[in-house]
Amino acid sequence: MLKPLIYRLGSNPKLSLKRFFRGIALFVLAVIFIFAGYYSHYSLQIIGVLILIPALFFAFWGYSGIFANRFSQVIKEIGPKHHDPDLWK
């Protein structure tokens, strides 16, 4: 049940990297708005917090795809080996 999800999330690492970078860029923009609102009008802070929600979503979605891609490569390496049930050979 978990393996198909990992393989599906990690199937396109370039798209996951794009999503992660978009999330990071939105996060930086949100932080800029939050700091600008601290020194000027508070409505800029509200805009920053509203931008922060999708920023964290995209960053998490992209990072989970990147992690799933790496983890799926580990799963392939650890996969089932040829197992000989006869122990007395």
Side-chain angles (χ1 to χ4, degrees):
M1 180 172 103
L2 191 59
K3 242 183 198 181
L5 177 66
I6 290 172
Y7 285 131
R8 188 170 51 104
L9 272 176
S11 65
N12 197 348
K14 288 184 181 183
L15 181 62
S16 296
L17 190 63
K18 278 184 185 179
R19 286 180 185 145
F20 179 70
F21 282 146
R22 285 178 186 164
I24 294 298
L26 283 174
F27 180 79
V28 168
L29 182 67
V31 168
I32 289 171
F33 270 105
I34 290 170
F35 277 122
Y38 180 74
Y39 292 111
S40 63
H41 201 262
Y42 71 92
S43 63
L44 292 176
Q45 285 184 329
I46 295 171
I47 293 170
V49 169
L50 291 176
I51 293 173
L52 188 65
I53 294 167
L56 292 175
F57 172 74
F58 277 111
F60 178 74
W61 190 14
Y63 188 76
S64 64
I66 294 167
F67 178 76
N69 180 271
R70 298 290 182 173
F71 191 62
S72 68
Q73 291 174 4
V74 170
I75 290 174
K76 285 180 187 174
E77 293 294 322
I78 299 177
K81 304 278 190 233
H82 176 68
H83 181 33
D84 191 9
D86 189 9
L87 298 175
W88 302 106
K89 275 189 172 180

